[in-house]
Structure formats: C-alpha cells, structure tokens
Amino acid sequence: MDTIVQEPPYVRLSDLGDHVGQRVTVKGWLTHHRSKGKIAFLVVRDGTGLVQGVVFRPDVAEELWQKAEALTQESSLALSGVVKAEPRAPGGFELAVDGLCVFQLTQDFPISPKEHGVDFLMGYRHLWLRSKRQHAILKVRAAIIRAMRGWMDRNGFLLVDAPILTPAACEGTSTLFETDYFDEKAYLTQSGQLYAEAAAMAFGKVYTFGPTFRAEKSKTRRHLTEFWMLEPEAAFADHDDNLRLQEQFVAGVVQEVLANCREELAILERDVTRLEAVQAPFPRLTYDEAVRILQEAGHAIQWGDDFGAPDETLLAERFDRPVFVTHYPRQCKAFYMKVDPARPDVVRCADLLAPEGYGEIIGGSQREDDLETLRARMAEAGVPEEGMEWYLDLRRYGSVPHSGFGIGLERTVAWICGLEHVRETAPFPRMLTRLHP
Ligand code: 4AD
Ligand code: MG
C-alpha cells in the first residue's frame, strides 16, 4: 500500500492551544528573526496571535535552514511542525519547524523597529496597521462597536440606517462637505439625527450608526473630518430619560469592553482602574454651575460662551467618571433642541464630558416637538425651511416628546484606549491635512 503524506492542517495562531503535540501548518508574516548557532527562531504573526518557530539545523534539510536564514521582516510564509506549549515564547507556543514555504521574501519593509515620526507612520498607515499597538487599538475599536450595538439591540432599539448623501445641514452650515448631485447640491451627512427622529416616530426606539462628515478646519487632537457616530432616538422620552439612557449605555459599554479587551488594554498600558470607576449614575452640572466653576478657577469665560477644550478638561477633572453638563444657552446649540419652558434662555440638552481630558464624547438633547416653536428656532438660527418640510411634518402628524444623543466613536476609542490623539483610532483617519492613503 502507498503511504500518502498528509499536509498538516492549517491552524490560525489563536487556536494553537487546541493543537499541542500535533503537527500543524501556520501562515503569517515574520516579525522577528534571530539565530544562535544551530538554532533559528522565527517569530510569526498572523493577526490572531504570535508563534515562535524553532528551526534546529541538525534536524532539517540544509535547504530549509538556508531559506530560514534568509528571511526578512514581514516576509510572508507558512511553517509546519509540532506545537509545544512554551510560556517563555512570544505567544506562549513554539513550533518545531520541519517545513517552510515562503510566499514572498520582503525587501526593505519601510517600518523598522526603530522610532518613527507620526507623520511618517501616517503616510504608511496601510503598513503601520500591522504593528502590535495599532492592532490592539483597532481590536478595541471593534469591541466598542460590538458592545455599543449589542447594548442597543438588547435594549429594544432598532437599527435604522440614515442616508449619507443629504439635501440639508443638521449641525450648521460651516462644516459641510458639498458635492454635486446631478442638478442639485448635496452634502455629506453631519449626523443621522433628523432621520433617526423620523424613524423613532415609526418604531419608538431606534439608533443610527454610520460615518458622518464635518469639514472641520480645526487641527486638534479630537477632530476628524470623517468619524462614526451612534445616534439613538426615543419617542416618549424627556431630558431626564435621555441622561439615564446615556449613563446606563456608556457604563455598560465600558464595562463590557474592559471584560473583553484586557490583553489589548495591557498592550496599550491603559490604567484600567480609571475605567473600572465608570459606573452609573454620572454626576451632573448645569451650564450655569460650570461657568461659575470655570470663572472661580480663573478661566476667561462669560455666560453665553461655548466651552473650549481646556474648560472641558478642568470640569471633567473634578470627577472620576464622565460628567454631564446640561442646559446650555440656546445660542450655543442647534435649532432642534427643546427650549426649557422654565428657563427660555437655555435648552434641555447635555454634553457628556469624558474624564482624563478627553472632552465631549456625547452631544444630545430633548427635541423641540412644537411646530411653531421649531419654526421660530429655525428662523432664529438661519436654517431655511426649504428641504426641511419633511422634518417639520414630524411635528404635524402625531408629534410627541422625544430625545436622543450622538456618541462619537473615535473619541470614545481614544478615551477607552488612553490615546493622545484620535488619529490612531480609525484604520484610515481623515483629517484636515490627511486624505492619503
Ligand atoms: O455634538 P454633536 O455635533 O451632536 C450631533 O451631531 C447630534 N446630531 C447628535 C444627536 O443628538 N443625535 O456630535 C456628537 C458627537 C460629539 O460629542 C463627538 O463625540 C463626536 O460626535 N464628534 C466628533 N468626533 C470626531 N471628530 C469630529 N470632528 C467630531 N464632531 C463631533
Ligand atoms: Mg457637540
């Protein structure tokens, strides 16, 4: 009888633990290479983990040894061999290599283990994604998205997708990206909110989740021109319901991500005790109180001014968890926010400020539900009714008290990961000075 030599099964590195003592094939890219006498160590990454391939010269054909010796950083390859648990090895496992297949021998990978400037790395973002740190950040980002959507889905909110090409502004005309839409002007959406409001009248509780765009001229560590936002909207919910929803949601997301991303947060050297403290309820300050605190601390702010980043940082530093600032002056905020009947100079809104200087991660409000008041607010804010008739219809046909908010994904990722700048929170960030790659 002929003996057929079976190819060992292909195993992803995250699953190596199920194959100790077995002969397997792994596929990936070489991250480190070092040899010592008759032994070569090949550290391979496949996106799910690491393994250390050990090539022992006396045990393998000279051709395999030579091929292993010639490997360069980021060469793509397959290794076969028997798996052994080895706590001291990167990834916790070793492979006693008996087979090596090189897909491509990489020449001059631009990112070396030495230090590079951020601009250089951003220019090579397509390759930088392979680094341990960027890999960890994007895994946390995915976990945050999963936690956010899971929370909404479990709590009775229906996902409704808002359009990206829109006929009108939601968040002011100064940050619109304009594009030709056949014979009309169209704008990349700044927010799905107005559509979420329509959907809330159809489904009760909804959320949109998608990319949003702002032609931000500001070059700060918090601003992208393209960012993702999750925007819940609920019918029969007032300002207080909205704050309770936000604190339950944010605390739930942070605790779930903490439970699922210990390893990634450790790679990022995140102080997780700061995240463990993020439990509902969150403290609340009115805008009036916030202005008083800022003035007492010597900030040059007057009632009616919007807060700058240093103002937000000072307010948030007083607490170990996110803080709501509520009831901003109406002139600071968007036309759709409900004027407080008891205080017509302020609106029933809240910004949620993250701790540790991360600033505003959520903007939300109760919505103006009275047709004539809304029209007056639009006129006051210079928002034309043209193109907004459909939105006004929502106040004509069964208007109800309703509220919602928008949470910026990238700022949330920056906060949870403890990053200096939002640019590392998106796989391919878009900013004032960056459109490539
Ligand atoms: O406060 P904003 O502008 O609120 C809205 O767009 C509302 N329509 C949301 C709603 O009520 N449905 O934006 C909400 C959040 C901010 O708190 C911030 O986290 C994020 O979106 N955000 C940005 N993130 C990155 N880069 C930018 N340029 C951002 N602008 C807003
Ligand atoms: Mg805002």
Side-chain angles (χ1 to χ4, degrees), residues 170-171 190-191 193 214 216 222-224 227 229 231 233 336 360-365 367 404-408 411:
C170 176
E171 296 298 329
Q190 296 167 307
S191 157
Q193 178 195 321
R214 310 254 171 119
E216 302 273 9
R222 296 174 183 176
H223 286 90
L224 296 167
F227 61 97
M229 189 159 44
E231 296 180 90
E233 193 73 31
Y336 50 72
E360 177 200 333
I361 53 167
I362 290 183
S365 73
R367 316 309 188 185
F405 67 90
I407 181 164
R411 288 191 192 170

Side-chain angles (χ1 to χ4, degrees), residues 313-332:
T313 299
L314 183 125
L315 293 171
E317 265 170 7
R318 302 162 56 96
F319 305 98
D320 67 342
R321 59 197 78 192
V323 54
F324 289 113
V325 180
T326 69
H327 300 88
Y328 282 67
R330 61 197 281 169
Q331 69 268 26
C332 292

Side-chain angles (χ1 to χ4, degrees), residues 13-34:
L13 295 179
S14 53
D15 299 334
L16 275 186
D18 300 335
H19 298 272
V20 173
Q22 297 168 13
R23 194 165 168 257
V24 301
T25 298
V26 301
K27 301 177 185 181
W29 296 263
L30 190 80
T31 63
H32 291 97
H33 182 192
R34 136 181 97 82

Side-chain angles (χ1 to χ4, degrees), residues 10 36 44 48 92 106 137 178 183 192 212 237 269 282 310 324 392 395 403 409 419:
Y10 166 42
K36 215 171 71 189
V44 172
T48 72
T106 288
I137 295 168
E178 190 178 296
D183 294 330
T212 50
E269 296 173 359
F282 296 165
F324 289 113
L392 294 175
R395 278 71 180 167
S403 301
L409 175 65
L419 308 178

